[in-house]
Amino acid sequence: MPKEVVVIGLLALAGFLAGGVYATWKTAKFMAIILLVLIVVAVGGAVLWLI
């Protein structure tokens, strides 16, 4: 599998999680913070996969 496919998948996952943060921020801030951490992990993994 080309590494670009994995990177695109991780960035898509980060975008999906960002939508979750936007949707849950007003009602469940703790869950939104957990999703923010997962976004950082997904983007970090994508960057490290490219290196």
Side-chain angles (χ1 to χ4, degrees):
M1 176 182 318
K3 68 180 179 178
E4 290 84 9
V5 173
V6 176
V7 171
I8 291 170
L10 286 171
L11 291 176
L13 175 65
F16 181 74
L17 291 172
V21 170
Y22 180 77
T24 60
W25 183 254
K26 288 185 180 180
T27 57
K29 289 200 191 291
F30 181 72
M31 181 59 83
I33 291 170
I34 291 173
L35 291 174
L36 276 172
V37 171
L38 292 175
I39 290 171
V40 171
V41 170
V43 171
V47 170
L48 288 176
W49 199 277
L50 277 175
I51 295 177

